[in-house]
Amino acid sequence: MSTIIVDLGNRSYSIHIRNGILSQSGRILRALNLSGDVVIVSSKLILSLHGHKLVSSLNRSGLSVETVVIQDEERHKSLATVERIYRQLSLLRANRKTVIVAFGGGVVGDVAGFAAASYLRGLPYVQVPTTLLAQIDSAIGGKTGVNLPSGKNLVGAFYQPRAVIADPMLLSTLPQREFCSGLYEAIKYGVIRSRPLFQLIDQKHSRLPHREKTSLEEMIVECARIKSEVVSQDETESELRMILNYGHTLGHAIESATHYERFTHGEAIGHGMILANLLAQQLLRLPSSEAEHINDCIRRLSRLPSLKILRWNQIFRHMLTDKKFVDRHLRFVLPRHVGKVEIVKDVPQLAVEQVLRTYLHAQP
Ligand SMILES: NC(=O)c1ccc[n+]([C@@H]2O[C@H](COP(=O)([O-])OP(=O)(O)OC[C@H]3O[C@@H](n4cnc5c(N)ncnc54)[C@H](O)[C@@H]3O)[C@@H](O)[C@H]2O)c1
Ligand SMILES: [Zn+2]
């Protein structure tokens, strides 16, 4: 088993990663002195696929378990869903010792985490991520929150879990498209911080989508290690944590310009990373051989849905209204080479426009 520590003083916690670790959940909670009643927040589908293992592990450790079922489509990542959870917690007479277990993908994790952060001014919670994206990214680092009709993740809190329990076996039921969506984020970690990780994905990518057990676990461990290292150094994203936004500047704009309907998050980031590489190449910060190598790895993973339906200025406009652009500086995370990125402030607008135009023109 790999255990990775997110080092945040008295709010430090462990990420436990191993095939089959789900059945150790009860033991892990007990070891943390989390002995209050457990409320699992999850979706109907995830509970029906994997709930029995989690519940029986918690019961075996003598923990009493209730479940709160929510809908986990992006449009339900809302205050209405949070209120639903509050009401259920109140009916269940939750108290400050009640432990919330967020059992699902990034949507469940963000919503349940935010409910935990705010109900009774904070209940302990544990993340048990069930998608690849959640295991390597969203369950780690304490960003919780929901969307408003006017924008994504506009309401939220930094609130760290007490543990993350990531069982790669849960991914066996994940639809292929969602699995690939997580792989794009894994490529992101390789490019920003680790050539060996990038090579692992690049060389084994044709097997990873078939979820070869050992390499998959190895990859999840490496991604989680990078995320926890970055979060440990910069919990609230004052500088270093921004590198995790590689591919996200234009990726988020693509997602919102298409109303979160055409692309999964990872697919939008796939396009966003290619665009960032083209931009870095144009600004003479990234050798073209390196840019082509990364773009090739992204393209071989799966066919990204075409961007043909968008005009360059639609993407550009959405980029400017993103909450990360309040100061109006065109700031991008751009690679120098695989394993190293830099935060570039004041990227010329014309360069972004040119790259978008060329890329959209070449879309199938
Ligand atoms: N908090 C953070 O730091 C952070 C980081 C990245 C992304 N996010 C957020 O994460 C969300 C996306 O998360 P996601 O990619 O995990 O998608 P998701 O939560 O929408 O889940 C995708 C789909 O997979 C299904 N599913 C989940 N686990 C499954 C399993 N084991 N087997 C079969 N089906 C399963 C879900 O029911 C859902 O339909 C976005 O809202 C994004 O904003 C948060
Ligand atoms: Zn992301």
Side-chain angles (χ1 to χ4, degrees):
M1 174 171 77
S2 295
T3 305
I4 295 161
I5 310 285
V6 182
D7 186 3
L8 293 167
N10 60 4
R11 289 173 296 109
S12 297
Y13 56 95
S14 297
I15 306 165
H16 306 270
I17 304 167
R18 183 168 55 84
N19 286 308
I21 188 87
L22 186 66
S23 56
Q24 299 296 312
S25 304
R27 195 186 50 73
I28 293 171
L29 263 69
R30 279 280 179 202
L32 288 166
N33 276 331
L34 296 173
S35 50
D37 294 346
V38 173
V39 176
I40 299 174
V41 178
S42 188
S43 77
K44 211 168 151 184
L45 173 74
I46 297 163
L47 284 171
S48 71
L49 289 170
H50 304 289
H52 57 286
K53 268 198 189 151
L54 175 60
V55 173
S56 62
S57 165
L58 295 168
N59 286 157
R60 272 201 313 279
S61 293
L63 296 163
S64 109
V65 180
E66 299 283 353
T67 51
V68 172
V69 177
I70 61 170
Q71 286 172 297
D72 66 355
E73 293 83 17
E74 186 69 32
R75 68 177 186 282
H76 292 291
K77 192 172 139 176
S78 63
L79 286 170
T81 306
V82 175
E83 185 176 356
R84 215 184 118 95
I85 300 173
Y86 292 155
R87 287 177 186 274
Q88 294 283 322
L89 289 172
S90 161
L91 281 175
L92 294 168
R93 304 200 182 288
N95 58 52
R96 297 288 284 274
K97 285 194 161 174
T98 302
V99 183
I100 305 286
V101 171
F103 187 45
V107 169
V108 168
D110 283 11
V111 176
F114 184 61
S118 45
Y119 193 76
L120 298 180
R121 300 198 177 84
L123 303 182
Y125 81 115
V126 171
Q127 289 275 14
V128 184
T130 64
T131 63
L132 178 57
L133 183 132
Q135 294 192 352
I136 65 175
D137 192 353
S138 60
I140 306 165
K143 274 193 188 177
T144 70
V146 296
N147 307 327
L148 291 182
S150 55
K152 208 170 135 75
N153 298 330
L154 287 180
V155 177
F158 284 102
Y159 188 63
Q160 301 294 341
R162 301 290 296 276
V164 179
I165 302 168
D167 186 341
M169 288 210 323
L170 292 172
L171 308 180
S172 60
T173 53
L174 200 61
Q176 183 65 11
R177 190 173 175 200
E178 293 297 341
F179 186 79
C180 283
S181 182
L183 280 178
Y184 293 111
E185 293 276 7
I187 294 177
K188 173 191 84 176
Y189 286 114
V191 176
I192 63 174
R193 207 100 163 148
S194 164
R195 186 176 276 276
L197 171 62
F198 180 83
Q199 281 165 340
L200 173 82
I201 303 166
D202 195 32
Q203 285 156 15
K204 300 213 169 166
H205 84 282
S206 59
R207 269 183 288 154
L208 278 174
H210 300 289
R211 298 157 216 203
E212 194 214 350
K213 265 193 189 162
T214 343
S215 335
L216 181 58
E217 190 177 320
E218 195 186 335
M219 186 194 77
I220 293 169
V221 169
E222 187 57 12
C223 293
R225 190 190 62 72
I226 295 171
K227 174 117 191 209
S228 64
E229 202 177 276
V230 171
V231 168
S232 299
Q233 286 177 51
D234 178 17
E235 184 183 8
T236 54
E237 199 170 311
S238 52
E239 184 80 29
L240 179 70
R241 193 167 176 168
M242 283 179 203
I243 68 173
L244 299 173
N245 294 330
Y246 164 56
H248 283 58
T249 311
L250 288 166
H252 277 161
I254 290 166
E255 275 186 290
S256 65
T258 48
H259 311 286
Y260 302 94
E261 281 166 0
R262 184 169 169 82
F263 302 94
T264 65
H265 175 69
E267 288 165 352
I269 299 319
H271 279 301
M273 288 188 292
I274 296 177
L275 284 160
N277 300 341
L278 296 173
L279 193 56
Q281 207 181 331
Q282 166 134 338
L283 298 173
L284 303 178
R285 291 172 176 274
L286 175 71
S288 42
S289 58
E290 216 41 13
E292 272 155 31
H293 190 175
I294 307 171
N295 293 347
D296 181 55
C297 178
I298 296 169
R299 288 197 178 103
R300 274 186 299 138
L301 214 57
S302 74
R303 183 197 288 265
L304 288 170
S306 172
L307 279 176
K308 198 87 186 166
I309 44 151
L310 289 174
R311 288 189 307 278
W312 79 269
N313 53 356
Q314 287 175 292
I315 301 178
F316 195 82
R317 201 163 0 104
H318 278 273
M319 183 188 76
L320 293 179
T321 51
D322 193 271
K323 69 178 188 294
K324 296 197 169 64
F325 268 100
V326 277
D327 58 2
R328 292 273 158 185
H329 288 290
L330 293 190
R331 189 173 50 198
F332 277 82
V333 180
L334 300 179
R336 288 301 291 187
H337 54 76
V338 171
K340 184 169 169 49
V341 287
E342 57 191 355
I343 299 161
V344 182
K345 298 179 174 122
D346 290 320
V347 169
Q349 179 169 332
L350 193 62
V352 182
E353 179 183 332
Q354 275 171 0
V355 160
L356 276 171
R357 277 182 189 277
T358 317
Y359 189 63
L360 290 185
H361 187 70
Q363 286 289 294

